[in-house]
Amino acid sequence: MTEDSTLAVPGPKAPTGIDGFDELTGGGIPRGRITVLLGGPGTGKTVFSLQTLVRGALEGHEPGIFVAFEEDTRRIRENARSFGWDLPGLERQHLFFLDAYVSPTHALSGDFDLGGVLAQVAAKAREIGARRIVFDGLDVLLALLDGPAAARRELHRLFEWLSEHDLTALLTGKVEGLDPLAGPQYGFLPFMADCVVLLQHTLRERVSVRGVRVLKYRGSGFAENEFPLTITSSGLEVATYGRADLDHPVSNERLATGIPRLDTMLGGGYYRGSSILVTGAPGVAKTTLAGSLAQESCVRGERVLFLSFDEPAAQIVRNLASVGLTLGAWIEAGALDIWSLRSEARGVEEHLIEIKRRVAAFHPTVLIVDPLSALAKSGGEVAAVEGSLRLLDFVKSRGITVLCTSLQESADPLAEQSALQVSTIADTWFHLSYHIRGGERNRALTIVKSRGMAHSNQVREMVLSSDGVTLADVYDAGGEVLMGTARWEKEEEVRREARAAARAAARRILEVGRAEADLRARLAALQNELDTFAAERELLESDHTAAASEREHEVGRIAVLRRADAAG
């Protein structure tokens, strides 16, 4: 069965109290059966078994017995104190330590067997009502026996005794090599035990890395792959993805980025609960982009956890103040927590555990990790990739909006890449780059992708000033996007041409105005002359009409006189 399969729980199981391990096994180790726990020195075998007993005694009301063959029980109690377990309190009623340690200075005579130890354990088990038992240091026990045949005989005796008493048992033993079960010492154990768990401790790129793998689980499904194991201040923890299915909360609510023009490019901002990735070379303003989201979120009344690798919080506050981001005030108000730590101080899994604890304690709605690529220095690239994916899965399952920056170290300043391979699962991916032209370096922003929303495909210049961060409008000149001084020079040239055109237009307006006035004056003079001629014409026409009327009257009078003469 693989790690992403659904884990079956066909039989009763005993929870171990180890975060993550019970998920791998579908509930814990087999109840009333035998589990063999193998591993090299320092892998956490004793801690694993003791934590299982403590869990049973505290939460399951299952008293337990710890039989120590290898280490003095007094030292085991002292070591357990560092995990915060109250062993003295549990020993009063629910826990018993049996010191079966045999010093190398002691001389053994005769045949050695487990009869006496088992008789003592049986009596104590009846007394406290034990339900769980640990035999720690199986290899030490086998070393005391005379050959493999005796070892097999005593192990059969132990297994039969455990079955008769219906105890949930853990047997630990040291192994070494790539194939720990290949040797004659443990070659028969997988066939006898119901569950076999292997713990490993290696060094990867100078970083200590522990892992756990379930080799066998009779009658139950389990996750077969190796998973990271970490020893924390409260015990062991196993790093898993939690549920195999993806059922993260999804929201349509938009969150402002802190840069208005970037909000416009995204059509309204980020989706709440989404993952944002910002990649780019050193100094390209990745932290500035993250700080803008942090301040904007605090203004909205949200809580922001800012995780910074290898850069002190005070330095971040000081640097971002130069671009108008006043993060110090939000730290004092309790809305912002900037947590700075060294990337190489812990392994990847230890970092993840601490991040989870910080998230659980601070309850942020926004998480910033700057830079996520620093995890590669905490155990190698493979561990960093796995840890990054688990971190994103963890925060998204809780509806937390997360912004991660990632350092790009490619020689190509225009290359778009994600060193930890998280770009495929990021919801929004910004790539910041340098645009070098004309002897100067300018910053450019590109939205590589942004799922579920329309977004700009333009390359925008990112301008940083004491007033804040802004994105300059696209300026295209002959098919080339201009930035910085080249952009300013081209804009200034256009402004000069516009001013010259305005002056020419003003001159022409003046000339046309003057010509219009001259023409109107000439039109007025002609109109006056026209009016004079019209008046004169009207006068002449009037005189002519009067004269014609007088002549007609005279002609009529003469005609009358002639008719009178003729009649007379």
Side-chain angles (χ1 to χ4, degrees):
M1 179 175 178
T2 59
E3 64 183 272
D4 56 354
S5 301
T6 302
L7 297 175
V9 190
K13 299 190 177 184
T16 63
I18 300 173
D19 290 343
F21 182 82
D22 292 345
E23 297 176 15
L24 306 183
T25 55
I29 58 177
R31 187 181 298 278
R33 297 188 180 185
I34 300 170
T35 298
V36 173
L37 185 62
L38 302 175
T43 54
K45 301 182 299 297
T46 301
V47 179
F48 188 109
S49 55
L50 187 55
Q51 188 169 347
T52 302
L53 286 188
V54 171
R55 163 63 187 265
L58 286 176
E59 301 182 21
H61 305 291
E62 299 181 2
I65 297 176
F66 191 98
V67 182
F69 288 104
E70 182 178 21
E71 191 174 1
D72 187 279
T73 56
R74 179 179 55 83
R75 293 182 180 178
I76 294 176
R77 292 185 183 92
E78 292 176 353
N79 296 337
R81 193 179 307 158
S82 63
F83 300 115
W85 301 333
D86 183 19
L87 295 188
L90 293 175
E91 285 187 84
R92 299 188 189 101
Q93 190 174 4
H94 299 293
L95 196 59
F96 175 72
F97 284 88
L98 176 61
D99 198 340
Y101 171 71
V102 178
S103 173
T105 60
H106 292 174
L108 299 179
S109 61
D111 294 332
F112 174 80
D113 61 42
L114 290 172
V117 174
L118 295 180
Q120 186 177 356
V121 172
K124 195 63 181 181
R126 288 191 297 270
E127 178 184 338
I128 67 174
R131 304 303 305 156
R132 301 189 183 193
I133 189 168
V134 170
F135 288 90
D136 187 38
L138 186 64
D139 55 293
V140 176
L141 167 66
L142 298 179
L144 297 175
L145 302 176
D146 188 15
R152 184 183 295 268
R153 181 190 69 243
E154 291 306 310
L155 284 177
H156 274 291
R157 182 204 300 265
L158 175 60
F159 278 43
E160 290 175 0
W161 182 90
L162 290 171
S163 298
E164 291 173 1
H165 289 79
D166 193 28
L167 293 173
T168 302
L170 261 174
L171 280 62
T172 74
K174 289 193 296 293
V175 293
E176 296 180 359
L178 298 177
D179 189 358
L181 300 182
Q185 187 180 25
Y186 297 116
F188 56 89
L189 273 181
F191 305 98
M192 300 177 65
D194 297 286
C195 179
V196 180
V197 179
L198 177 65
L199 304 182
Q200 294 183 315
H201 186 192
T202 59
L203 199 64
R204 298 177 186 172
E205 299 184 16
R206 300 180 300 167
V207 177
S208 173
V209 178
R210 290 181 174 85
V212 57
R213 181 186 173 199
V214 181
L215 301 181
K216 170 188 176 181
Y217 202 127
R218 186 174 291 157
S220 173
F222 61 94
E224 298 180 2
N225 293 342
E226 179 180 336
F227 289 84
L229 176 71
T230 305
I231 300 178
T232 72
S233 59
S234 58
L236 296 180
E237 290 190 20
V238 177
T240 68
Y241 283 101
R243 294 180 52 177
D245 59 331
L246 291 174
D247 191 20
H248 299 156
V250 176
S251 173
N252 290 322
E253 180 185 356
R254 293 296 192 96
L255 305 180
T257 65
I259 304 174
R261 290 199 168 188
L262 184 56
D263 293 338
T264 302
M265 293 181 69
L266 292 171
Y270 308 127
Y271 280 127
R272 180 176 294 281
S274 64
S275 55
I276 302 104
L277 176 67
V278 182
T279 60
V284 81
K286 299 183 297 296
T287 302
T288 303
L289 200 64
S292 298
L293 174 61
Q295 176 157 297
E296 183 67 22
S297 300
C298 291
V299 171
R300 288 194 300 265
E302 301 189 43
R303 295 170 68 83
V304 180
L305 177 59
F306 194 125
L307 170 60
S308 171
F309 284 108
D310 303 320
E311 185 173 6
Q315 183 171 312
I316 293 175
V317 172
R318 181 202 65 188
N319 294 346
L320 294 186
S322 65
V323 290
L325 299 177
T326 56
L327 300 186
W330 297 111
I331 295 176
E332 295 177 1
L336 174 64
D337 179 17
I338 300 183
W339 176 34
S340 301
L341 65 163
R342 296 184 185 276
S343 56
E344 296 182 83
R346 300 185 179 97
V348 173
E349 301 308 323
E350 293 175 287
H351 281 312
L352 290 184
I353 289 171
E354 289 301 318
I355 292 173
K356 290 179 180 180
R357 289 180 177 172
R358 285 273 183 157
V359 169
F362 192 67
H363 302 291
T365 56
V366 175
L367 172 67
I368 293 171
V369 184
D370 181 41
L372 185 65
S373 52
L375 291 178
K377 296 187 290 185
S378 303
E381 185 173 333
V382 174
V385 170
E386 295 176 353
S388 300
L389 297 179
R390 279 195 297 274
L391 173 61
L392 294 180
D393 180 76
F394 168 74
V395 296
K396 292 194 70 174
S397 67
R398 285 155 178 77
I400 299 173
T401 305
V402 56
L403 186 150
C404 301
T405 67
S406 181
L407 182 64
Q408 169 205 305
E409 297 182 352
S410 170
D412 182 2
L414 301 179
E416 297 173 357
Q417 64 179 13
S418 171
L420 298 184
Q421 304 173 23
V422 296
S423 57
T424 56
I425 64 172
D427 298 305
T428 298
W429 178 11
F430 298 117
H431 182 67
L432 305 182
S433 59
Y434 286 119
H435 185 86
I436 303 175
R437 187 176 185 273
E440 68 175 20
R441 183 190 301 265
N442 297 288
R443 299 174 176 88
L445 179 145
T446 305
I447 302 177
V448 181
K449 71 172 183 178
S450 193
R451 292 172 177 158
M453 64 180 73
H455 55 276
S456 173
N457 64 350
Q458 295 178 333
V459 178
R460 308 295 290 272
E461 181 182 0
M462 178 179 285
V463 181
L464 309 182
S465 68
S466 58
D467 296 328
V469 183
T470 188
L471 299 175
D473 292 328
V474 172
Y475 197 96
D476 184 280
E480 181 182 4
V481 176
L482 301 181
M483 297 183 185
T485 301
R487 174 196 183 94
W488 179 87
E489 289 175 347
K490 187 62 178 179
E491 289 177 337
E492 184 61 26
E493 178 183 343
V494 171
R495 285 192 289 268
R496 286 197 303 269
E497 291 175 355
R499 288 194 295 268
R503 288 193 296 269
R507 287 195 300 270
R508 182 57 182 165
I509 290 172
L510 182 61
E511 292 172 357
V512 169
R514 289 173 178 172
E516 180 184 9
D518 182 62
L519 182 58
R520 289 186 182 279
R522 291 168 58 194
L523 286 174
L526 291 174
Q527 185 66 44
N528 290 334
E529 186 176 355
L530 179 63
D531 291 344
T532 300
F533 284 125
E536 183 179 359
R537 176 183 57 77
E538 290 178 358
L539 180 59
L540 291 174
E541 289 178 349
S542 177
D543 291 344
H544 174 72
T545 302
S549 176
E550 184 176 350
R551 285 194 302 272
E552 182 178 355
H553 179 72
E554 183 64 24
V555 170
R557 186 181 65 80
I558 293 174
V560 170
L561 290 177
R562 286 178 178 173
R563 285 193 299 267
D565 290 341

